[in-house]
Amino acid sequence: MFSEGLMHGQGTYIWADGVKYEGDFVKNIPMNRGTYTWPDGSTYEGEVISGMRNGFGVFQCSTQPVSYIGHWCQGKRHGKGSIYYNREGTSCYEGDWVHNTKKGWGIRRYKSGNIYEGQWENNMRHGEGMMRWLTTNEEYNGQWERGVQNGLGTHTWFLKRIPNSQYPLRNEYRGNFVNGCRQGYGKFYYASGAIYEGEWVSNKKHGMGRLTFKNGRVYTGPFSNDHVAEFPNLEDELLNHPDPSSESALGGQYRGSSSTEIVRRLDGSGSDSVLGSTIELDLLLLLSEYPETEQAEERKQVEYAVLRNITELRRIYSFYSSLGCNRSPDNTYLMTKLQFWRFLKDCKFHHHKITLADMDRVLSGAENVPEEAASGCDSNAATIYSREGSTTQGPPACVCK
């Protein structure tokens, strides 16, 4: 189409180098909508302003399985858009662009199944973001700098579940990162229940720290190259309560020590409880009220009571632990203290000589609880710890004897 001697309206123009444009012209200039075709077969179809890709359009590369759907500005990817790196669409980026570079907020899906969602700068992960490594069952949520973990964040390693258990085992680190390594101050929650809080250097415990063993014993002091630098006088007492996390923390130097206590393994092969390895009862406070000769039988009676109600207990735990939670990698949750407090309130504990304030003090570990209220609570309840759920925050479920 021509008007007054100028290309105006629909038409096709082919440059000397083989580039072809089909679409609208306004006074000799490609304008509005059209399709560009390059000599190698690549195409662009979309909005055009002054001969340049501007607005919304689709680019398809012919030499590589790459395509872009989104906004353009002066011939460059700019604004919201999605780029696909394979024909299946399993490797892609969806988010913000600034002059052909990823900048702003976006989601990057990798062919391996790994996903990053967060801020970008100059085509690199930079700012706040969350990365999920599905290939290694890891997740990081926190600060990034030039593509690596840098600043405050939380890194979680999801471990293999215990057979017959609905809850996952996990190691979790919350603290500071430098160039992708745990560096500075941080807190590490081990799947076994042990907790380390203190200083880190290049992914290793180094400096002053506090290690709480699964059995409740605590070591506070210096660490060097991921090992305890000095061991306190309570060494013998700690060794009488062996567990995998404490052996690892001590560098394995006491591995193989004899002990009168059975070590419960993750697969349940070392457990003598009728409940197996998925639930562990902490009955020390209650059993101390009985003669030592009767404690074993009392423990069994409580275990049998729990076993009779195990399905209902799991249902209750699942309901209360998921209250207020938006997301879980595998639809399981860890009960927080606030959720457990809500559970006690719904059970109307405060109608039986213990106030809501007393309950809160009990959960907080305070000692100034009225004797009558405390005895009423302690003598009628047994605390049940999910082995895999005791790795982070909050008390677990409570069941009446």
Side-chain angles (χ1 to χ4, degrees), residues 71-262:
H71 289 85
W72 301 75
C73 182
Q74 297 183 345
K76 296 181 179 181
R77 296 184 292 272
H78 190 87
K80 296 287 185 182
S82 303
I83 188 169
Y84 299 89
Y85 298 99
N86 58 13
R87 301 193 186 282
E88 297 79 14
T90 55
S91 177
C92 64
Y93 169 82
E94 304 171 6
D96 298 330
W97 295 83
V98 176
H99 300 310
N100 268 356
T101 62
K102 303 181 187 75
K103 184 176 181 179
W105 186 267
I107 301 175
R108 176 72 166 96
R109 292 180 173 87
Y110 298 87
K111 188 176 180 181
S112 61
N114 298 340
I115 300 175
Y116 171 80
E117 181 177 357
Q119 294 177 307
W120 293 79
E121 182 76 32
N122 196 27
N123 287 330
M124 292 184 290
R125 298 183 289 270
H126 191 93
E128 289 288 334
M130 179 174 65
M131 180 82 181
R132 298 193 192 103
W133 293 270
L134 301 185
T135 51
T136 56
N137 284 329
E138 297 180 34
E139 179 180 295
Y140 172 78
N141 193 343
Q143 297 176 328
W144 297 77
E145 186 173 326
R146 300 182 63 82
V148 297
Q149 298 151 287
N150 217 85
L152 293 176
T154 300
H155 195 121
T156 305
W157 295 261
F158 296 98
L159 309 179
K160 191 175 181 179
R161 294 187 183 186
I162 297 176
N164 304 319
S165 173
Q166 62 174 320
Y167 301 109
L169 286 170
R170 67 183 72 185
N171 290 328
E172 186 169 275
Y173 171 80
R174 303 175 188 174
N176 199 58
F177 289 83
V178 175
N179 294 328
C181 296
R182 299 186 292 276
Q183 182 95 9
Y185 183 84
K187 197 169 185 178
F188 199 103
Y189 298 85
Y190 292 88
S192 64
I195 301 175
Y196 170 79
E197 183 175 6
E199 298 174 344
W200 295 78
V201 175
S202 300
N203 281 339
K204 295 182 179 180
K205 297 182 286 290
H206 194 88
M208 293 300 296
R210 174 188 175 93
L211 180 62
T212 304
F213 294 86
K214 176 188 167 184
N215 53 39
R217 301 302 190 272
V218 178
Y219 166 77
T220 302
F223 287 76
S224 178
N225 198 30
D226 216 29
H227 301 294
V228 174
E230 300 175 3
F231 207 74
N233 296 329
L234 294 176
E235 174 179 350
D236 293 335
E237 187 177 0
L238 286 172
L239 294 178
N240 286 332
H241 299 79
D243 92 76
S245 64
S246 62
E247 290 180 352
S248 173
L250 299 176
Q253 56 185 322
Y254 300 110
R255 232 178 268 271
S257 305
S258 61
S259 173
T260 58
E261 181 175 317
I262 295 178

